[in-house]
Amino acid sequence: MEQLRSPFQLPPLPYPYEALEPIISAETLHYHHDKHLQTYVDNLNTALSDCPECHGRSLEELLKNLDRLPEPKRTAVRNNGGGVYNHLLYFNCMSPGGGKRPGGSLAAAIGDAFGSFDSWKQLMKSAAIGQFGSGYAWLATGPDGALSVVKTANQDCPLSQGLYPLLCVDVWEHAYYLQYQNRRADYFEAWWRLVDWPEVSRLYTGCLACRPPRP
Ligand code: MN
């Protein structure tokens, strides 16, 4: 998403609306992508429209450096820039052919960091279910390459905490309420069957490649 720069445009979903049926319905994706995400895009562009120093910066740059923004713009970029970035990652990390297991260096790193893939899944599920109110659970990597599971509130993004996000599950009710109502754990288990591991691995390998070598 490094290429995204203001003014931002809503990219299409990377698959047809019905592609994730029956796990995530076409109706849910229509509202989630075309209404909720579009609103974050519009509000971000409005917030940046009178901020010349923000123009030309990528979404990642904005979120990594919130404290360098003019003070009146920080909350709007945190909420709406996060709303754009987080949703794009969420949609991109699901696939109709997903739900298998990671391979290669990511699988090894998950084993090293969490003991096993299943232990990591439990941590991720606890973070998703334990996030009070709206937010996300994440798999992220730090500047030292260490993997971690974090949860964030609202549209806060791990980029603003110095982490690089690899995978997220949106636990705002709008992500699941039409099908799963209050059953967030059921939604998590359903989402799990859609995770696009090749895409997560691509992000992991890419972020290792752009990290400066250790001294
Ligand atoms: Mn959402």
Side-chain angles (χ1 to χ4, degrees), residues 186-199:
D186 290 354
Y187 159 69
F188 177 90
E189 290 292 343
W191 166 81
W192 185 257
R193 290 155 53 201
L194 296 171
V195 174
D196 184 355
W197 287 110
E199 174 64 9

Side-chain angles (χ1 to χ4, degrees), residues 40 63 78-84 86-87 134-136 152-157 170 172 174:
Y40 288 114
L63 290 167
R78 177 179 172 177
N79 289 342
N80 297 295
V84 174
N86 301 347
H87 278 107
S134 297
Y136 293 78
T152 55
N154 305 314
Q155 294 295 354
D156 289 353
C157 181
D170 184 343
W172 285 59
H174 67 231

Side-chain angles (χ1 to χ4, degrees), residues 87-102:
H87 278 107
L88 292 178
L89 182 68
Y90 169 73
F91 290 129
N92 283 343
C93 288
M94 293 190 289
S95 159
K100 301 174 182 72
R101 287 189 171 221

Side-chain angles (χ1 to χ4, degrees), residues 9-143:
Q9 290 194 321
L10 178 64
L13 273 180
Y15 32 75
Y17 290 94
E18 58 281 350
L20 306 183
E21 295 262 15
I23 298 174
I24 306 269
S25 69
E27 185 185 24
T28 293
L29 284 181
H30 267 293
Y31 279 106
H32 204 171
H33 179 271
D34 297 7
K35 305 297 183 189
H36 290 280
L37 176 50
Q38 181 71 62
T39 300
Y40 288 114
V41 171
D42 293 344
N43 289 344
L44 178 61
N45 284 330
T46 300
L48 297 182
S49 61
D50 61 349
C51 180
E53 57 269 60
C54 303
H55 291 176
R57 293 201 211 168
S58 73
L59 188 52
E60 284 195 16
E61 288 172 327
L62 292 169
L63 290 167
K64 281 180 185 168
N65 302 293
L66 288 174
D67 55 352
R68 289 192 213 157
L69 294 173
E71 200 281 333
K73 296 296 178 188
R74 286 178 201 162
T75 300
V77 172
R78 177 179 172 177
N79 289 342
N80 297 295
V84 174
Y85 185 94
N86 301 347
H87 278 107
L88 292 178
L89 182 68
Y90 169 73
F91 290 129
N92 283 343
C93 288
M94 293 190 289
S95 159
K100 301 174 182 72
R101 287 189 171 221
S105 60
L106 179 60
I110 286 175
D112 288 346
F114 307 110
S116 70
F117 183 73
D118 291 333
S119 310
W120 170 65
K121 181 192 173 184
Q122 285 310 311
L123 277 178
M124 190 77 180
K125 186 172 182 177
S126 297
I129 294 171
Q131 170 54 38
F132 181 75
S134 297
Y136 293 78
W138 305 81
L139 174 67
T141 176

Side-chain angles (χ1 to χ4, degrees), residues 143-208:
D144 56 357
L147 293 177
S148 58
V149 167
V150 292
K151 57 186 178 182
T152 55
N154 305 314
Q155 294 295 354
D156 289 353
C157 181
L159 286 170
S160 309
Q161 306 168 17
L163 298 172
Y164 190 82
L166 303 175
L167 172 68
C168 66
V169 54
D170 184 343
V171 296
W172 285 59
E173 283 186 343
H174 67 231
Y176 59 89
Y177 205 84
L178 289 174
Q179 288 170 277
Y180 298 93
Q181 292 81 44
N182 60 313
R183 303 187 308 279
R184 190 186 284 189
D186 290 354
Y187 159 69
F188 177 90
E189 290 292 343
W191 166 81
W192 185 257
R193 290 155 53 201
L194 296 171
V195 174
D196 184 355
W197 287 110
E199 174 64 9
V200 182
S201 286
R202 193 185 66 76
L203 292 174
Y204 179 61
T205 307
C207 92
L208 290 182

